[in-house]
Amino acid sequence: MKKFFLGLSLVAVLGATPMSIAFADEHENPAIDFRESLMTIFKWHLKPMAGMIKGKIPFNEAAFRKNANGLAAATSLDLLSGFPRGSIEDSEAKPEIWRHWPDFKDKFRTLQRESAKLKQAAASGDRAAMKAQFIRTAKVCKGCHKKFREK
């Protein structure tokens, strides 16, 4: 009976090891994982809309609307909480974020507003309005990256 429980314990420990490795943080600071994951979600929604606006992929109004809605939802999350002071190690964040925090915060709030406007434009079905608002929203993203992100 002891051998059975010893074997069972060994299986449980060995079986859990890959799981714990799989869930190990990429960074020591989970805030970095949070913000990078959220930025990946932004990119997930922006990229197909950019392809449609640039004519690289066929324009699909339903897909555009879905991505605009997704971007608005993602930007409603508190990205700023993913930037605690000093969380710069192993990330693309520039120290300027914390030196110019009010500007960084304002740029994110602008992205939230522009994303909400993009959602409204997409709901209207007016392609010209969708394109114009997408360009404004993308410029906000790009402006923040230029000032606050390492390449």
Side-chain angles (χ1 to χ4, degrees):
M1 191 67 140
K2 276 186 173 180
K3 285 183 180 181
F4 172 76
F5 285 113
L6 180 62
L8 189 59
S9 297
L10 184 60
V11 168
V13 168
L14 291 176
T17 301
M19 225 22 158
S20 60
I21 291 170
F23 288 114
D25 288 335
E26 186 178 318
H27 303 286
E28 286 185 29
N29 189 334
I32 296 172
D33 291 329
F34 169 73
R35 71 184 185 226
E36 288 180 354
S37 296
L38 198 49
M39 296 285 188
T40 299
I41 293 168
F42 294 172
K43 182 179 173 181
W44 173 264
H45 292 294
L46 285 163
K47 205 168 186 175
M49 289 187 288
M52 289 180 220
I53 296 299
K54 294 176 181 177
K56 292 184 178 181
I57 60 174
F59 195 90
N60 179 318
E61 191 174 311
F64 192 96
R65 186 173 37 259
K66 181 179 176 183
N67 282 294
N69 292 344
L71 181 64
T75 60
S76 73
L77 297 173
D78 184 17
L79 175 68
L80 298 174
S81 68
F83 288 90
R85 186 166 289 285
S87 61
I88 193 167
E89 71 283 341
D90 296 325
S91 79
E92 296 174 352
K94 289 183 178 179
E96 283 82 353
I97 290 171
W98 295 276
R99 285 196 292 260
H100 304 285
W101 184 255
D103 185 35
F104 181 73
K105 186 177 175 179
D106 185 54
K107 287 187 183 316
F108 178 63
R109 299 289 184 232
T110 302
L111 176 62
Q112 289 177 309
R113 285 190 301 275
E114 295 302 319
S115 296
K117 290 177 187 175
L118 180 61
K119 178 181 175 180
Q120 290 174 339
S124 77
D126 179 347
R127 284 193 189 180
M130 294 160 81
K131 181 178 181 177
Q133 186 55 46
F134 176 83
I135 291 169
R136 283 191 289 275
T137 304
K139 280 184 181 179
V140 171
C141 283
K142 191 174 182 178
C144 196
H145 282 206
K146 280 185 177 182
K147 187 170 184 178
F148 296 117
R149 179 183 175 215
E150 297 286 348
K151 291 198 176 214

